[in-house]
Amino acid sequence: EVQLQASGGGLVQAGGSLRLSCAASGFTLNDYAIGWFRQAPGKERDGISCISSSGDSTWFANSVKGRSTISGDNAKNTVYLQMNSLKPEDTAVYYCATISSCSRHGYVSPADFGSWGQGTQVTVSS
């Protein structure tokens, strides 16, 4: 069974950093591209970053570009999203999911994301 578990969120002051983890089970990172998404209260869930299955291609939404990096650790079967210079508007629940593909231009969503899981809460105080 393909499963992803996001973790690493927390409460941080503006300007701080967090590293979010997305632990995969039931498949390897070479099998799927991975996307990071976030949903703030009252807003839609938006994609913010992705990494291709090979790890060669990455993409960042304008809202996090220049402040974030994404990487994969095949040995740990985990994708990381490092977020720096955090802002109050980064406050949201963060999720990871398998996606159809990722390139430097963006990502292609799958036909069905399936269950999103619990996600991990990031709260940035001003």
Side-chain angles (χ1 to χ4, degrees), residues 42-103:
K43 295 188 177 181
E44 294 184 352
R45 190 173 353 234
D46 292 324
I48 58 170
S49 182
C50 66
I51 185 168
S52 63
S53 57
S54 66
D56 292 340
S57 296
T58 61
W59 167 84
F60 299 92
N62 288 336
S63 57
V64 301
K65 189 179 296 181
R67 306 188 287 125
S68 302
T69 58
I70 188 170
S71 61
D73 185 332
N74 289 334
K76 295 183 178 180
N77 218 30
T78 298
V79 171
Y80 301 101
L81 181 67
Q82 176 72 40
M83 300 187 67
N84 303 318
S85 302
L86 284 163
K87 307 174 183 179
E89 49 264 44
D90 292 318
T91 295
V93 179
Y94 285 69
Y95 304 86
C96 56
T98 57
I99 54 177
S100 294
S101 65
C102 174
S103 74

Side-chain angles (χ1 to χ4, degrees), residues 4-6 45 93-96 113-120:
L4 292 166
Q5 180 63 55
R45 190 173 353 234
V93 179
Y94 285 69
Y95 304 86
C96 56
F113 277 105
S115 173
W116 281 97
Q118 293 184 340
T120 187

